[in-house]
Amino acid sequence: MGIQSSYDLVVDVKKPGAEIQPTMYGLFFEDINFGADGGLYAELVKNRSFEFPQSLMGWKTFGQVEVRTDGAPFERNPHYVRLDNAGHGHKHTGLENEGFRGIGVKKEATYRFSVWARSGNATAQKIRIELIDGDNNPFERKELTIGSGEWKKYEVILTSSKEEAKASLRIFLISGGPVDMEHISLFPTDTWKGRENGLRRDLVEALNELNPGLFRFPGGCIVEGTDLETRYNWKNSVGPVENRPLNENRWHYTFAHRFFPDYFQTYGMGFYELFLLSEDMGAEPLPVVNVGLSCQYQNEGEHCHVPVGELQDYIRDALDLIEFANGAISTTWGKVRAEMGHPEPFNLKFIGIGNEQWGAEYPARLEKFIEAIRAQYPEIKIIGSSGPQAEGKDFDYLWPEMKRLKVDLVDEHYYRSPEWFLNQAARYDSYDRKGPKVFAGEYACHPQSRENNFESALCESAFMTGLERNADIVHMATYAPLLAHVDAWQWRPDLIWFDNLRCVRTPNYYVQKLYAHYRGTNVLPFTLNKKPLTGQEGLYASAVIDTDKQEIIIKLSNVSNEDKDIRINIEGLQRKMKIGSEAQVVLLKGEVDRENRLDNPDVAVPVKSVVRMNGTVLEATAESQSFNVYVISY
Ligand code: AHR
C-alpha cells in the first residue's frame, strides 16, 4: 500500500444526460481460436462428413475402409466411407475419430451418437461404437443395426462412465459388411437448452451471464476470406446441417507460427443458430456481410476483388439475409427460416457491410449496398468500417467517407498497448456529435506478455469510462476475440478460454460483465475540480443513473500505485430521492501480471461489499490498481 491522498468528486443527478443504448455492451463472435468448430458448437467429431481436403483427416482407419462419392446422400458433402469385411475372423474393420484436440466427456453424462448409413448389400449390418480413454481403454460401448439398403439416420445414446478430457470415438464393423457411413456425429445431450445440433452449455452460460445487448457475427476476417471463394457465405450455413458445405477457415494458416491444418468451418453453427443465440441472450443480432472485398491484408489490387459494377450477387446476399431474418414465411428466405423452426422473425435491426476495410475501394462498394438496402429496408441501420487502425491515414480518410455515405454507425477497431488505452480515455469527448454513431467493434488491451492479465483488464476498465461518458455518440462496444481453446488458439488475449470440459472467465470478462450489469439508463456528469476524470492522479471514472432500478452508479478505476481516499458527493438530488445509509461496492482487483487460468480461475474476480453513506456523501478508499463499481440506491 502506498501513500494515501483524498479526492472530492461530484456526481450531479439533477439532469440525467444521454440515454445509454441497450446495445452498448455486446459480444463479437468469430470462428477463430476454435471458437465455433471445437468450441461453442458442441459437435465432438472432427471432419464428420469426410469433406476436409484430406478426406480422412482426424480419423484413423483399420481394415477395409474406403472413401467413396458414388450415390452419396448429401450432394454438397459428397464423400462418405464404406466399411467392408476385414477378411479374417481375427481382423477388424473400423475407424476412430480424435475429436478437436480430444473429445471431452463427463462422468455419467450422455452423448448422442448419430450416423447416416446404409447396408451395402441386402442384409442388415452391425456396428459397435466405443468411447476410448487416453490409455486406449474402452469405457462405453453400444451397438447399432443398419437395417436398410437406403440411406437413413441412426442414433444411439452413449453414457460415459468417467470424465475424460481427451477421449476418442471408435467404430467397428461387427457384421460381414459392407456398410456405408456419412455425417458421423457425437453431441452431448446436455447442450444449451437441450437442443440437438446445439451449443456447448457452459460456454453459452458464460456468454449469457455477460448480459450482452448486442451480438456481432460471424467475423472478423472470416467474413472477407483469403479469397472471395472462401469468404463466409451465410447462405451455405443454413438449411439441413448435413448438407451445409465445408468452408476453409483462414485462421488455419493466417499466422505461420500458429498453423492449424485441421481448422475448417462446417457451418454446423450457422446463421440460424447464431440468430437463435442472439435471441436467447436477449441481444440484438448484428450480422456482417462481405462487401465484395477479399481480405485486404492478403490481397492487393482491384483484381482481387469484385468489380464495383458486378456486385449484384453480394448485394443480393445482404438483402436476402434481411429477408431470412425478418421476412414473412411466404418469402423465399423467410420460408427457409420457418422450415428451420422459427416462423417468427428475428427482428433484425442492424447490418454490417464489410469487416475491417480500407482505401477508396471500400466506399465505392459500400455505396452500392447502401443504395439497395435503403431502398428496400430503410429501417435497417447500416454499419461501415473505419479500417484496422484507430487513427492515421486510412482512419482519417474513412470517417469523412462514412459521413458522406450517411452510415448509421462506424465500426472502429483497436488492439493496443496498456498505455494507449489509458491515453485514449478521453478519445470520444471531442468527437463530432452530428455524424454517425460509434461502434467500438473490436478492441482489447494487449500487454507485452499478450496474456489476459489484470493490467489489461484494468486499462480496459479505465478506457471504458470514456465510452460510457460519451454514450450519446458511442452506441455499441464489443471486446475481441471472444473465445479461445487453450490447445488451439491463433490470437490472444481473448475474453474466455476453454478446454474440452471447462472454461475460465478472464479479468477482462469481469470488466465487461460489470459494465453490462451496471449499464444504467442515462449518463450523469461526474467530476473532480469540475473536470471529468480521465486520468488525473491515475483515476478514471464515469457515472450513470438507472431510473428503472433507481440507482446511481459510479465506475472508477484507480490505475496508480496508491490507495486513494475518495468522497463522492451527490448533488442535485430531488426531494423524493432518498439515499440509504449504505451503498454497494463491487471491487475487481488482482496482481497486474497474473491471469485467471483453468486450474486457478479466481485470481481476479469481483467481490461485493458495502460502504456507509455519510448523508449524501459516499466515503471510500479506492485501492491501488483496482476497478470499483459503487451502487447507491435512492
Ligand atoms: O479479432 C481478430 C481479428 O482482428 C478479426 O478477425 C479482424 O477483424 C481483426 O483484424
Side-chain angles (χ1 to χ4, degrees):
M1 197 195 304
I3 318 143
Q4 294 210 347
S5 323
S6 179
Y7 301 91
D8 255 296
L9 312 172
V10 176
V11 57
D12 185 354
V13 301
K14 193 157 62 235
K15 271 201 228 118
E19 193 188 326
I20 297 154
Q21 299 299 310
T23 52
M24 183 71 166
Y25 305 110
L27 303 176
F28 161 51
F29 174 75
E30 176 171 22
D31 190 359
I32 184 173
N33 304 321
F34 279 44
D37 289 284
L40 195 51
Y41 184 47
E43 174 63 85
L44 296 167
V45 174
K46 184 168 70 188
N47 191 15
R48 64 186 173 189
S49 295
F50 308 99
E51 296 303 327
F52 283 21
Q54 284 76 29
S55 307
L56 288 171
M57 188 179 263
W59 295 93
K60 281 185 202 134
T61 64
F62 43 94
Q64 299 299 315
V65 178
E66 189 193 354
V67 177
R68 303 174 64 134
T69 53
D70 55 311
F74 307 110
E75 72 279 8
R76 298 205 290 183
N77 284 323
H79 296 86
Y80 66 91
V81 285
R82 169 160 289 189
L83 273 57
D84 214 340
N85 201 310
H88 188 285
H90 284 256
K91 296 187 182 179
H92 300 288
T93 284
L95 67 172
E96 190 174 316
N97 192 270
E98 66 188 24
F100 298 90
R101 306 297 178 273
I103 291 176
V105 289
K106 293 183 177 158
K107 189 170 160 66
E108 309 301 344
T110 51
Y111 295 85
R112 179 176 291 106
F113 171 87
S114 68
V115 58
W116 282 79
R118 67 178 175 187
S119 163
N121 58 25
T123 48
Q125 302 295 333
K126 275 191 155 191
I127 57 172
R128 188 171 75 228
I129 303 111
E130 294 183 348
L131 291 173
I132 312 292
D133 70 15
D135 295 324
N136 202 23
N137 300 311
F139 59 96
E140 164 64 339
R141 171 177 288 161
K142 285 278 163 56
E143 291 182 4
L144 262 182
T145 300
I146 312 301
S148 170
E150 301 298 318
W151 285 106
K152 277 193 184 161
K153 185 176 182 181
Y154 296 85
E155 283 186 5
V156 66
I157 298 292
L158 308 181
T159 304
S160 174
S161 55
K162 63 175 182 175
E163 178 170 298
E164 183 69 35
K166 293 191 183 281
S168 52
L169 176 76
R170 191 177 287 162
I171 303 166
F172 286 97
L173 172 67
I174 54 171
S175 58
V179 65
D180 295 337
M181 302 202 300
E182 159 66 322
H183 199 89
I184 301 175
S185 169
L186 184 72
F187 269 88
T189 56
D190 185 21
T191 55
W192 166 252
K193 289 189 181 277
R195 291 187 186 124
E196 289 189 26
N197 194 50
L199 310 185
R200 227 176 99 164
R201 187 160 63 79
D202 62 333
L203 292 181
V204 182
E205 279 170 0
L207 302 185
N208 194 38
E209 198 181 301
L210 283 168
N211 208 16
L214 180 80
F215 189 53
R216 172 180 179 235
F217 57 86
C221 291
I222 66 168
V223 167
E224 299 152 9
T226 295
D227 41 38
L228 288 164
E229 292 69 48
T230 54
R231 73 188 187 279
Y232 194 101
N233 184 338
W234 76 264
K235 285 179 175 166
N236 285 345
S237 82
V238 297
V241 70
E242 296 86 347
N243 208 18
R244 299 182 194 171
L246 188 83
N247 193 20
E248 184 178 288
N249 190 322
R250 56 158 296 151
W251 295 110
H252 140 177
Y253 50 75
T254 298
F255 300 128
H257 60 291
R258 305 285 313 163
F259 189 68
F260 292 87
D262 60 341
Y263 198 6
F264 290 86
Q265 299 178 75
T266 61
Y267 285 145
M269 182 177 68
F271 264 38
Y272 177 80
E273 290 77 17
L274 291 163
F275 273 113
L276 205 56
L277 178 57
S278 314
E279 184 174 87
D280 290 346
M281 298 189 295
E284 294 294 347
L286 165 51
V288 183
V289 293
N290 187 295
V291 67
L293 296 171
S294 55
C295 177
Q296 290 172 275
Y297 283 114
Q298 293 169 321
N299 298 279
E300 259 186 63
E302 276 287 344
H303 65 284
C304 306
H305 309 306
V306 185
V308 176
E310 296 171 23
L311 285 166
Q312 309 82 318
D313 291 351
Y314 288 72
I315 293 173
R316 188 75 264 151
D317 281 352
L319 296 172
D320 288 346
L321 175 59
I322 300 171
E323 184 176 289
F324 175 74
N326 292 355
I329 61 175
S330 53
T331 61
T332 309
W333 288 100
K335 184 160 176 272
V336 174
R337 181 193 72 239
E339 283 169 357
M340 292 185 77
H342 204 286
E344 310 77 26
F346 281 118
N347 205 6
L348 178 70
K349 299 188 180 84
F350 304 97
I351 191 165
I353 307 296
N355 168 44
E356 197 173 71
Q357 319 300 166
W358 64 84
E361 50 269 52
Y362 176 50
R365 286 166 178 79
L366 176 62
E367 188 163 15
K368 303 289 173 204
F369 280 75
I370 294 179
E371 280 165 16
I373 295 170
R374 297 276 192 240
Q376 207 173 329
Y377 298 107
E379 71 286 5
I380 295 287
K381 293 208 177 336
I382 298 175
I383 292 157
S385 164
S386 59
Q389 303 300 337
E391 63 279 302
K393 186 170 123 297
D394 293 321
F395 183 87
D396 292 344
Y397 164 70
L398 279 174
W399 252 100
E401 283 296 284
M402 294 304 108
K403 286 182 184 166
R404 177 180 70 80
L405 294 175
K406 296 194 170 54
V407 301
D408 296 287
L409 291 109
V410 176
D411 182 5
E412 298 190 350
H413 293 181
Y414 25 88
Y415 298 100
R416 297 295 181 88
S417 67
E419 297 72 34
W420 187 92
F421 271 86
L422 296 182
N423 288 335
Q424 293 288 314
R427 176 182 180 85
Y428 296 110
D429 293 4
S430 53
Y431 258 49
D432 177 6
R433 270 36 204 179
K434 292 197 281 302
K437 307 299 180 200
V438 174
F439 171 30
E442 290 182 29
Y443 68 94
C445 174
H446 283 197
Q448 215 165 16
S449 65
R450 285 297 190 99
E451 290 183 341
N452 283 96
N453 62 23
F454 182 69
E455 180 192 20
S456 66
L458 182 63
C459 293
E460 286 156 11
S461 76
F463 171 77
M464 287 173 76
T465 59
L467 302 182
E468 185 172 272
R469 187 173 49 254
N470 290 285
D472 62 321
I473 182 161
V474 182
H475 281 194
M476 304 171 166
T478 54
Y479 180 99
L482 185 57
L483 294 167
H485 193 302
V486 289
D487 296 330
W489 57 269
Q490 293 79 48
W491 180 296
R492 64 178 184 169
D494 305 286
L495 204 63
I496 299 168
W497 288 83
F498 60 91
D499 65 11
N500 290 342
L501 292 172
R502 304 167 295 171
C503 65
V504 59
R505 292 149 172 77
T506 59
N508 317 70
Y509 172 99
Y510 289 116
V511 168
Q512 295 294 321
K513 182 172 168 177
L514 291 174
Y515 269 92
H517 277 253
Y518 297 101
R519 174 166 56 84
T521 54
N522 299 80
V523 181
L524 293 175
F526 187 55
T527 51
L528 168 67
N529 300 329
K530 301 202 183 327
K531 291 207 179 98
L533 281 107
T534 57
Q536 305 93 305
E537 309 288 338
L539 294 178
Y540 298 78
S542 55
V544 296
I545 189 165
D546 192 317
T547 52
D548 302 327
K549 296 185 191 152
Q550 302 196 318
E551 288 171 348
I552 298 159
I553 301 160
I554 316 286
K555 304 195 181 75
L556 185 140
S557 305
N558 176 4
V559 307
S560 77
N561 291 324
E562 288 176 9
D563 292 352
K564 308 271 183 184
D565 285 338
I566 54 166
R567 290 167 45 84
I568 300 175
N569 300 275
I570 307 172
E571 291 186 353
L573 277 169
Q574 293 167 26
R575 202 172 291 168
K576 60 179 186 210
M577 297 168 95
K578 300 272 181 267
I579 301 287
S581 58
E582 283 180 344
Q584 243 196 67
V585 190
V586 191
L587 168 70
L588 184 64
K589 187 170 163 65
E591 289 169 45
V592 280
D593 55 355
R594 288 190 67 201
E595 50 175 9
N596 295 346
R597 298 249 167 111
L598 283 166
D599 292 323
N600 194 6
D602 296 334
V603 168
V605 295
V607 177
K608 282 189 180 172
S609 63
V610 289
V611 58
R612 289 202 62 74
M613 294 290 303
N614 186 357
T616 57
V617 181
L618 184 154
E619 292 177 342
T621 300
E623 293 181 39
S624 67
Q625 313 279 6
S626 71
F627 175 49
N628 306 270
V629 182
Y630 303 101
V631 184
I632 304 159
S633 298
Y634 63 86

